Amino acid sequence: MSKADSWRYDKGNNTYESCKGLNLGSGILLRSHKDTPMAFYNGIHFTSYCDNGMPVYSALLKTADSFPYLDAIQQDWNQFISVDDSDRGPFKYSIYAILLSFTANFVIVLSLTIIVFITVRQKPYRGASNLLKLGSSLASINLTIFVAKALNLLKSEHVNKAIVSTDEVLDLLGSDMAFTCLDFFVVLICQLCQVQIVMRLFSRVREKRLVFLTGFILSIISQVLWAIPSFTKLARNHFTGGSYDDDGLILLSPFVYLLRITFSAFYASIIIFNVFIKRQLCFHNQRMTLLTVITILIIFLQPAFFVADVTNIWVDDLSEIFNTTCYVGSAVIVWQWVDHLLILERKVQAQSVLGRPVYVDDQEDNYFARYALKTQEPTTVNDVTSSSNSSGPYGNIPSQIPAAPDANKVEFSERPPVKERVWQGCTRIVDGMLYYTDHFIIKGLAIKTLSLHSKNSSDDYSKRKAKVRRRIGLDRPNEIYVYATRDVVFDSDEAEDVGAVQESGEDVFHHEEARTFA
Amino acid sequence: MPSKLLLLTCALTTVAMVFQILPVISMPLVNSIYLSRYNGRLFGVFGWCVVSTGVCTPARIGYAMQCAVQDTDGIDTATICDLEEFTSNFLPSRAKRAISKLLVVHPMSLFFTTILWIATIALNTRVFARSRRALACAVLWSLPAVFLSLLSFLVDVLLFVPYLAWPGWLILVSTVFISTASCIMCGVRRSVSLQKYEKLRGKEVIELVPMQSDKIQSETLNLSPGDSQSQRAASLASPYLVNKPYYPSS
């Protein structure tokens, strides 16, 4: 983001003489071109290459035989790197730190993408997992293109100007159309994934529906508000070259920034609340504990960057690229955490006596079935008997089936009043939204219960196999038992066959017991 | 129990509202309350004042550069507040002056919190205490209230850190209080709906068999077999019976 377009003033107010120009005086021999002869100049005015009035690195090779720098330039450079209040001077703000941040973000996002494709299960959340894969893939592509462009820019500056400019690289964040467009979609997809993660944490269908509608609308609003200043600035930079500060768009940029921080704080609060109420499961084993700790760290990353931003302007420049990493991380890692948490929860519920909690919303399918029965009943009743008082056990359910048209009644095709039409339109819109919410999001993503047989639960499979082997006795093949045979003696035969009972061996089992044991 | 929780909700929203009133009435409305003091200036939500001269800008959204000074006739005249050049050191965080318009979220947040406070008072009355719809409305209203309150705090942080004064930090406390009240109201709504469902189910005739009083009941039946109806009624009222369906806590 260019400093001129930022909603904050530059940090450094120092003026450097070498950037404004130095009068070197007379007595200098110069050759302007290799074909022209060397000439003597009386007055030389030298201006060093600067970015926004600040010195830049020189990419020239300096050896013991090369000419020394001018004293004024050397003095400016020393002042530039020594002032702690400076914007780019100290080493931690240099191009090396920025390149390290870019490449670290690139590697992190690439790793998260690989994790998504390897570990995230396709079922039962097919749509959400595809969305997650799409978002992480787009983020990886975006950062790959950006790193390639940044390196290309550094190369061209190295070759053509013999400098290494920090501002030119940072300007790419706000001026590159491809990066801005892809970043828009990446953040939107990650926000929708976050909405689905929050939906999975709620049990009741109504809550899931509310979370989806609220989260979806807020995500769209947030991204639209973000797009207005970003694309306006981009369009002006590309086409007219107008100033960004001319209108009130400068106010929108920090507002959206704070909006995103607020949403991420809400998201972190919901996750932390769930960690607290399900702490037994979150710290169930070592693997889950590690995943929970990573989840807590990643969800607080964006609020932490806000705190770092308000104390250090350097982070503001990299906020876009850090945002991508934060969003992808808080979607992918938290998705994995929720996946593991729900599997553990289902296991505990499966082992308990009471099983899974059932809510009122879960009985809606039952209501639908009863409603269907209710609709069938009048026709059946009318066919069999003509009695009308056949409410039966479903009499409380209001029938919404339109009554059959009466042959003796004259009906006019009048248009309903405006109020009724508006009401019908609103009802139709709300019903449509609920339909799509239920079918595409809740039914497809959330209601389906998690299968206990996950892909990576091979240890569970081996445990079950061992249990079965132990139950049927295959785990002790070398232990040999000698069974005795005993004839069944009835009372009537007792007198005759008293001595017919035979016993042998040390380990004696009755025939029935042995069968029971097997 | 829900009435006590609703009382707690009312108390929390009352404190939260008071904490939000303080920044809104800060400079230039009340001279002793300010959001930040930096570089010889005192900043409030609707304006700022110069410490040395005590001159303030007129109250408006966004910081103005003209100060209202009364002349000898008592008429307000506008003048430049400070001779110093307003550049990067106007606000503590070096944000541009136009960003101060974001402070408009403070009165908006106060409005939402006030409505929420009225709603929590209404929930403590007999009419709305058991109304699931009223509770749901209050919970839904509390969401934008929490959102705006948090946004107000973030705006304060963005503009005035590291010189944010105590009224700014009170907004954070207010946010925590409102979110706590919202969670409590959500829980109360669930418990109210649960109680209504229990009442509904209580009307159904369910044959419940006492688990611990089997022996006692059989003995009493042997003693007086003719009075079986009254015994059955007594056994249904017995505390040993489990006459509530299971509802898992969520």
Side-chain angles (χ1 to χ4, degrees):
Chain A
M1 190 180 295
S2 172
K3 301 308 292 179
D5 298 339
S6 176
W7 44 271
R8 293 202 289 200
Y9 291 106
D10 290 340
K11 200 166 187 177
N13 291 320
N14 295 325
T15 53
Y16 298 97
E17 293 296 325
S18 61
C19 295
K20 291 195 295 186
L22 298 170
N23 288 317
L24 301 180
S26 61
I28 293 177
L29 292 173
L30 276 179
R31 189 166 67 180
S32 58
H33 194 263
K34 62 180 181 179
D35 298 330
T36 58
M38 192 171 287
F40 181 83
Y41 291 89
N42 285 325
I44 296 290
H45 186 79
F46 174 76
T47 306
S48 181
Y49 191 92
C50 295
D51 270 346
N52 294 325
M54 285 176 286
V56 294
Y57 288 111
S58 171
L60 290 171
L61 184 64
K62 186 180 179 184
T63 63
D65 299 332
S66 57
F67 291 109
Y69 285 124
L70 288 171
D71 289 339
I73 295 176
Q74 189 70 44
Q75 193 179 350
D76 280 352
W77 181 256
N78 290 335
Q79 184 188 351
F80 178 60
I81 61 172
S82 61
V83 179
D84 197 35
D85 195 35
S86 176
D87 210 355
R88 298 266 176 267
F91 180 74
K92 59 184 176 182
Y93 306 139
S94 66
I95 186 69
Y96 306 108
I98 289 171
L99 280 181
L100 188 68
S101 305
F102 285 160
T103 47
N105 279 306
F106 170 63
V107 170
I108 291 169
V109 170
L110 205 62
S111 309
L112 290 173
T113 308
I114 293 168
I115 287 173
V116 167
F117 275 93
I118 289 175
T119 60
V120 170
R121 295 178 299 135
Q122 188 75 13
K123 290 180 180 177
Y125 308 99
R126 186 185 296 274
S129 61
N130 286 338
L131 205 60
L132 202 59
K133 285 172 186 171
L134 177 68
S136 55
S137 304
L138 277 179
S140 298
I141 293 168
N142 196 18
L143 286 184
T144 308
I145 294 171
F146 180 77
V147 169
K149 280 187 177 177
L151 290 177
N152 196 28
L153 184 71
L154 286 175
K155 180 194 165 191
S156 70
E157 286 190 340
H158 180 87
V159 171
N160 298 326
K161 301 176 185 174
I163 56 160
V164 184
S165 173
T166 309
D167 281 5
E168 290 288 330
V169 176
L170 287 175
D171 279 348
L172 269 181
L173 283 171
S175 61
D176 190 38
M177 179 71 88
F179 179 82
T180 309
C181 290
L182 280 175
D183 193 58
F184 173 80
F185 287 111
V186 167
V187 174
L188 181 63
I189 289 170
C190 288
Q191 282 178 343
L192 292 179
C193 288
Q194 288 181 352
V195 171
Q196 286 161 5
I197 288 167
V198 176
M199 279 169 62
R200 291 179 68 184
L201 289 172
F202 285 93
S203 306
R204 291 165 173 81
V205 178
R206 280 181 187 171
E207 291 170 347
K208 286 176 191 291
R209 199 179 282 164
L210 182 68
V211 167
F212 171 71
L213 289 175
T214 312
F216 182 76
I217 292 168
L218 288 179
S219 302
I220 296 291
I221 289 173
S222 161
Q223 282 307 95
V224 167
L225 288 179
W226 179 85
I228 291 170
S230 300
F231 286 104
T232 307
K233 185 178 69 178
L234 211 60
R236 288 185 179 180
N237 285 345
H238 276 81
F239 299 113
T240 60
S243 174
Y244 176 66
D245 291 17
D246 283 343
D247 42 27
L249 289 177
I250 195 170
L251 200 62
L252 209 52
S253 181
F255 177 72
V256 176
Y257 177 53
L258 294 181
L259 206 64
R260 283 183 170 185
I261 301 298
T262 311
F263 290 158
S264 60
F266 271 14
Y267 180 63
S269 306
I270 292 169
I271 299 293
I272 290 297
F273 182 70
N274 276 275
V275 167
F276 179 72
I277 61 173
K278 295 173 182 172
R279 55 189 179 276
Q280 300 283 349
L281 293 174
C282 290
F283 302 101
H284 182 258
N285 51 30
Q286 196 174 356
R287 189 177 169 185
M288 194 63 199
T289 305
L290 184 65
L291 193 57
T292 306
V293 170
I294 294 173
T295 302
I296 292 170
L297 288 179
I298 200 86
I299 57 173
F300 278 115
L301 209 57
Q302 208 165 5
F305 270 121
F306 170 72
V307 175
D309 186 14
V310 295
T311 55
N312 192 344
I313 198 168
W314 175 69
V315 188
D316 176 44
D317 293 326
L318 292 172
S319 61
E320 292 299 320
I321 205 159
F322 278 132
N323 257 337
T324 307
T325 311
C326 289
Y327 272 113
V328 174
S330 60
V332 174
I333 293 176
V334 182
W335 181 274
Q336 285 291 310
W337 175 76
V338 172
D339 225 7
H340 283 75
L341 186 72
L342 290 184
I343 286 172
L344 280 175
E345 202 175 37
R346 302 288 187 208
K347 278 185 178 176
V348 169
Q349 287 171 356
Q351 289 169 1
S352 69
V353 178
L354 298 170
R356 183 175 79 86
V358 179
Y359 303 105
V360 182
D361 297 317
D362 294 343
Q363 297 180 354
E364 280 186 352
D365 292 338
N366 184 29
Y367 291 151
F368 289 144
R370 293 175 68 182
Y371 178 74
L373 285 173
K374 173 68 183 170
T375 58
Q376 287 176 2
E377 192 180 8
T379 55
T380 313
V381 170
N382 287 333
D383 290 343
V384 177
T385 64
S386 59
S387 103
S388 58
N389 49 1
S390 60
S391 59
Y394 312 110
N396 294 331
I397 302 171
S399 176
Q400 296 180 8
I401 302 295
D406 193 354
N408 298 324
K409 185 180 173 184
V410 179
E411 288 186 353
F412 298 99
S413 58
E414 290 179 349
R415 293 188 70 187
V418 179
K419 187 180 174 184
E420 193 175 335
R421 273 183 287 158
V422 170
W423 176 253
Q424 280 178 355
C426 294
T427 312
R428 201 174 295 129
I429 290 170
V430 171
D431 287 347
M433 285 173 67
L434 290 178
Y435 175 81
Y436 283 107
T437 306
D438 289 351
H439 278 264
F440 289 96
I441 303 297
I442 294 177
K443 293 284 182 189
L445 303 174
I447 279 191
K448 288 178 185 173
T449 54
L450 267 176
S451 170
L452 295 180
H453 311 286
S454 60
K455 274 183 186 175
N456 46 5
S457 60
S458 57
D459 51 343
D460 297 341
Y461 174 71
S462 59
K463 280 181 185 173
R464 277 203 312 277
K465 191 177 174 184
K467 189 186 281 185
V468 173
R469 283 173 63 85
R470 191 170 62 247
R471 193 172 291 168
I472 63 176
L474 291 175
D475 59 333
R476 291 167 294 179
N478 295 326
E479 295 180 16
I480 300 169
Y481 296 92
V482 179
Y483 296 92
T485 56
R486 170 175 284 189
D487 294 334
V488 179
V489 179
F490 295 97
D491 293 340
S492 57
D493 303 333
E494 196 174 2
E496 298 172 10
D497 301 321
V498 173
V501 178
Q502 298 174 2
E503 290 182 357
S504 65
E506 291 179 349
D507 297 322
V508 178
F509 283 81
H510 292 292
H511 187 64
E512 291 81 4
E513 288 174 358
R515 193 190 300 160
T516 308
F517 176 76
Chain B
M1 191 63 183
S3 60
K4 285 183 182 174
L5 288 174
L6 287 175
L7 213 59
L8 177 64
T9 307
C10 188
L12 285 173
T13 46
T14 306
V15 176
M17 191 183 67
V18 170
F19 282 0
Q20 292 206 359
I21 286 172
L22 290 174
V24 172
I25 61 168
S26 61
M27 289 281 191
L29 303 179
V30 176
N31 288 336
S32 56
I33 302 173
Y34 53 88
L35 285 173
S36 176
R37 179 178 183 147
Y38 174 70
N39 214 5
R41 304 182 191 100
L42 296 172
F43 295 96
V45 169
F46 294 108
W48 58 279
C49 301
V50 181
V51 178
S52 56
T53 60
V55 179
C56 298
T57 58
R60 50 168 273 193
I61 297 295
Y63 290 152
M65 305 305 288
Q66 305 290 326
C67 285
V69 180
Q70 288 188 342
D71 58 9
T72 53
D73 300 331
I75 302 167
D76 286 350
T77 55
T79 179
I80 299 294
C81 288
D82 209 342
L83 294 175
E84 200 175 329
E85 188 71 22
F86 293 111
T87 52
S88 63
N89 58 353
F90 179 69
L91 288 168
S93 63
R94 294 179 302 101
K96 290 177 180 171
R97 194 172 51 87
I99 309 301
S100 61
K101 288 178 184 172
L102 285 178
L103 287 168
V104 74
V105 292
H106 273 282
M108 288 168 66
S109 173
L110 178 62
F111 169 73
F112 274 80
T113 310
T114 308
I115 300 291
L116 182 67
W117 175 68
I118 294 168
T120 52
I121 289 175
L123 286 175
N124 277 284
T125 60
R126 190 167 291 176
V127 182
F128 295 108
R130 297 284 166 185
S131 169
R132 281 180 293 179
R133 189 162 292 179
L135 279 163
C137 288
V139 170
L140 287 177
W141 188 265
S142 69
L143 294 179
V146 175
F147 172 74
L148 283 171
S149 181
L150 184 58
L151 200 60
S152 310
F153 172 70
L154 291 178
V155 168
D156 288 350
V157 167
L158 192 74
L159 291 176
F160 302 121
V161 155
Y163 296 94
L164 186 62
W166 57 269
W169 293 105
L170 285 184
I171 298 290
L172 179 62
V173 182
S174 170
T175 307
V176 174
F177 282 179
I178 297 172
S179 53
T180 309
S182 177
C183 292
I184 292 173
M185 281 191 293
C186 208
V188 169
R189 188 195 167 275
R190 281 186 181 181
S191 67
V192 166
S193 62
L194 197 64
Q195 287 168 1
K196 289 199 172 181
Y197 188 64
E198 280 179 3
K199 276 185 185 175
L200 197 70
R201 290 291 301 269
K203 291 176 183 173
E204 296 180 11
V205 179
I206 303 169
E207 190 71 26
L208 296 172
V209 180
M211 298 176 72
Q212 297 181 14
S213 59
D214 277 346
K215 198 174 175 181
I216 301 168
Q217 196 181 17
S218 62
E219 285 173 359
T220 49
L221 282 172
N222 289 333
L223 286 173
S224 56
D227 198 14
S228 62
Q229 288 292 333
S230 60
Q231 283 163 11
R232 188 171 172 225
S235 67
L236 284 173
S238 166
Y240 295 109
L241 292 178
V242 182
N243 56 0
K244 288 181 181 178
Y246 168 69
Y247 299 105
S249 61
S250 59

